[in-house]
Amino acid sequence: MEDGKEIIELETVEEQYNVFSSYKLDTQVKMLEHTLQTYNQQADWINQLGHSWVHSNGSSSEKELIDIVTNDLKRADEDYQKEMNDTRNIKMVQKLDDILQSESKQTYFVVVGSGHTLIDPSLPSELRDKGYNVERVY
């Protein structure tokens, strides 16, 4: 609890670790090799991702942001893509839905990485499908 506000994880560190360690060994090696080969470019990509997020109120900036995340997912096989995006997002939405359906009637502020908001099934698309009003805050 911080400042009287409860912090609730939608995905724990252990769950993230389990996702990354569950991939086939060759996929893990491929992803590690890519990270090592592109180490010097990582800061530029993160800055580009942040810039695109902040300026994504225009369709071209949002497309650029989606391209960055999609290209990252395409580095590996389909199982990787499904686990990194689809499965994780659906689990997080289920946990968030459970929290929102509780009897507490509290207001929640949800913070997630930008990648979880872009590629369907994304957190916003899944929450909208459940009838929630989702708004980006910049």
Side-chain angles (χ1 to χ4, degrees):
M1 185 109 27
E2 188 172 313
D3 295 331
K5 296 175 181 77
E6 183 179 7
I7 297 172
I8 304 169
E9 297 172 312
L10 294 180
E11 181 179 64
T12 66
V13 171
E14 291 81 13
E15 289 169 325
Q16 287 181 355
Y17 172 80
N18 289 337
V19 168
F20 287 114
S21 64
S22 68
Y23 298 123
K24 295 179 275 185
L25 186 57
D26 61 326
T27 299
Q28 292 182 47
V29 169
K30 181 179 179 180
M31 299 310 292
L32 177 59
E33 286 173 343
H34 180 270
T35 300
L36 294 173
Q37 291 166 356
T38 60
Y39 176 78
N40 292 327
Q41 298 152 315
Q42 297 288 331
D44 290 338
W45 291 341
I46 291 171
N47 286 334
Q48 182 182 8
L49 184 64
H51 180 270
S52 294
W53 176 259
V54 169
H55 296 91
S56 68
N57 55 350
S59 60
S60 64
S61 293
E62 186 162 346
K63 182 188 178 320
E64 182 180 331
L65 186 58
I66 291 170
D67 288 346
I68 292 169
V69 175
T70 301
N71 288 338
D72 185 57
L73 287 173
K74 287 182 179 176
R75 289 182 297 157
D77 60 25
E78 192 174 313
D79 290 339
Y80 173 86
Q81 294 174 40
K82 183 174 176 154
E83 279 299 312
M84 274 302 281
N85 188 72
D86 305 11
T87 302
R88 290 173 67 209
N89 287 349
I90 290 168
K91 284 180 181 178
M92 283 190 265
V93 165
Q94 185 58 52
K95 185 169 183 178
L96 186 54
D97 185 45
D98 290 345
I99 292 166
L100 295 171
Q101 294 296 324
S102 72
E103 298 296 321
S104 70
K105 303 294 183 203
Q106 294 182 3
T107 298
Y108 293 91
F109 181 78
V110 179
V111 179
V112 296
S114 60
H116 297 288
T117 67
L118 297 167
I119 310 299
D120 289 338
S122 67
L123 272 68
S125 70
E126 291 297 299
L127 287 167
R128 284 185 188 106
D129 286 351
K130 290 181 176 290
Y132 291 99
N133 180 23
V134 179
E135 180 182 341
R136 281 188 183 178
V137 179
Y138 298 97

